[in-house]
Amino acid sequence: MIAAVERAMRDGHNGYAPSVGILAAREAVSTECIDRGMPMHPDRVVITSGTSEGIELALTALAGPGDDVLIPVPTYPLYTAVLAKIGARAVFYRTDAARGWQPDIDHVRSLISRVTRALVVIDPNNPTGASYSPEARRALVELADRHNVPLLADEVYADLAFDGPVGALAALNPDAPVITFSSLSKAYLAPGWRMGWLAVAQTDRLDDVLAGIKKLADGRLCSTGPMEYALVAALTGDRSHQQAFRDALRERAALTTERLNAIDGFSCVAPTAAFYAMPKVALPPGKTDEDYVLSLLRATGVLCVYGSGFGTAPHDGFFRIVFLAAPAELSDIYASMGDFTRDYLAGRGR
Ligand SMILES: Cc1ncc(COP(=O)(O)O)c(C=O)c1O
């Protein structure tokens, strides 16, 4: 990827790229979509500054003041931030720790209304580390299809499910109104390169949305030109690093689940993808997730993110762990979390 970017720069590709991205990158993305079961023409692909920009373009094209967008809770905060910026309302549907953080389909269905402009699905999920069951995935696509609500499929972790890459949600029904998003940030370990894409399903129901997205893309000129050559190199090149990455993540996830569940007062659903776990600590009355996380940070130097930052209730005691550190370091971290938590739950401040 580095060689491809250097070559592009030395070959003089330093001007503005087309606002939708260079053809070679869009072709690489369309082939990637087809390989994942989603029919795709390069004209329906837009190259973006990461998944984040793709999401912002799509939400801005779809929704405005007075509109609703369904997003999961716990959520990834980019969604609430973009919706606040464009004046649309974030309507939260439950994903449930008691059911392995699977989405509550009945709850999603009950929230769809006349003003619902999009249904956001993050599978595999940040912050929970869940990948959704085939039944849940089918039900979500079916809801989008039946109610004609565009499904925004955040598939940035699709290659990091421990059992191997997850197919595109859109593959379950090629006629359903689905827009898929991904990037080089996670499975190609280059988040700072800000290189991603969106691809709009080949249904005429989404033609206006695609036109709106392209208009917005014109307004910001283009994503970083030389980096688009890295995207081509990544998607058409050797991916063997991903198997090693998935294996390392699986080992760290298992260590995380085992060690956290051994701490009194903790419960942790086993992650099945990505590098996140969302454990719960049984908080004493009156304590919040924020108080627990900040006290842990002050006492041990270990930083987690409290669940209420992702929209869970402060007294529920959820918090998110990123388990990318090496296993030996994780082991030390979980030991000090156990020591700290014993004192914290016994009311002995440190
Ligand atoms: C669910 C989810 N979507 C999107 C992003 C942003 O990714 P990108 O770097 O491609 O903008 C992240 C990054 O953590 C994420 O977890």
Side-chain angles (χ1 to χ4, degrees):
M1 286 159 59
I2 291 170
V5 173
E6 181 182 0
R7 200 176 320 114
M9 288 175 166
R10 297 210 184 278
D11 287 350
H13 297 297
N14 298 303
Y16 293 120
S19 60
V20 289
I22 59 170
L23 180 60
R26 288 182 290 116
E27 282 175 344
V29 171
S30 76
T31 302
E32 172 77 6
C33 290
I34 292 163
D35 288 349
R36 299 180 62 235
M38 179 183 192
M40 186 53 55
H41 189 279
D43 283 354
R44 300 182 78 87
V45 173
V46 178
I47 307 301
T48 56
S49 296
T51 313
S52 306
E53 193 198 25
I55 288 162
E56 179 159 5
L57 291 175
L59 285 174
T60 308
L62 280 163
D67 294 333
D68 284 358
V69 172
L70 305 190
I71 61 177
V73 67
T75 195
Y76 176 65
L78 171 70
Y79 291 97
T80 38
V82 172
L83 292 174
K85 182 173 153 188
I86 63 179
R89 190 165 73 116
V91 176
F92 295 98
Y93 67 85
R94 271 189 305 273
T95 66
D96 188 0
R99 290 188 297 168
W101 290 116
Q102 295 296 307
D104 181 337
I105 302 297
D106 291 335
H107 194 215
V108 179
R109 187 180 297 110
S110 74
L111 295 172
I112 295 175
S113 76
R114 256 183 330 104
V115 292
T116 306
R117 294 291 172 259
L119 163 61
V120 171
V121 177
I122 307 171
D123 179 25
N125 193 274
N126 176 14
T128 64
S131 39
Y132 293 169
S133 67
E135 298 74 32
R137 286 163 56 82
R138 259 196 304 278
L140 289 164
V141 174
E142 204 213 329
L143 281 179
D145 188 34
R146 175 135 38 91
H147 296 274
N148 203 22
V149 172
L151 189 161
L152 306 190
D154 182 333
E155 302 188 305
V156 73
Y157 298 104
D159 287 332
L160 299 185
F162 307 152
D163 287 340
V166 179
L169 263 172
L172 301 174
N173 176 354
D175 295 325
V178 178
I179 305 176
T180 181
F181 304 84
S182 193
S183 75
L184 300 185
S185 295
K186 312 297 175 181
Y188 295 89
L189 296 97
W193 291 24
R194 310 310 304 130
M195 187 39 49
W197 63 87
L198 64 81
V200 179
Q202 301 192 139
T203 163
D204 53 16
R205 289 192 269 175
L206 288 179
D207 287 353
D208 285 352
V209 180
L210 176 61
I213 289 172
K214 286 185 174 179
K215 217 178 244 184
L216 290 164
D218 282 346
R220 67 31 159 162
L221 298 181
C222 63
S223 61
T224 47
M227 292 301 181
E228 298 188 14
Y229 292 82
L231 199 161
V232 179
L235 294 186
T236 60
D238 175 14
R239 306 183 178 198
S240 51
H241 71 282
Q242 289 184 353
Q243 186 58 48
F245 192 18
R246 283 189 291 268
D247 290 345
L249 292 174
R250 184 200 292 278
E251 181 194 347
R252 289 162 208 211
L255 172 75
T256 299
T257 313
E258 187 195 320
R259 294 292 298 274
L260 294 185
N261 279 324
I263 297 173
D264 272 350
F266 268 35
S267 54
C268 183
V269 175
T272 55
F275 29 81
Y276 308 109
M278 190 88 172
K280 177 184 168 93
V281 54
L283 290 172
K287 293 287 191 192
T288 62
D289 54 6
E290 181 176 349
D291 180 75
Y292 172 80
V293 162
L294 293 181
S295 303
L296 173 71
L297 175 63
R298 288 191 194 103
T300 64
V302 172
L303 176 63
C304 307
V305 181
Y306 39 90
S308 46
F310 301 100
T312 59
H315 299 100
D316 282 353
F318 286 109
F319 58 100
R320 187 195 68 173
I321 286 179
V322 177
F323 52 77
L324 282 169
E329 194 181 354
L330 286 175
S331 191
D332 291 347
I333 288 168
Y334 299 145
S336 56
M337 285 178 77
D339 292 344
F340 166 80
T341 304
R342 200 175 322 110
D343 287 353
Y344 184 88
L345 296 184
R348 293 190 294 269
R350 295 212 291 168

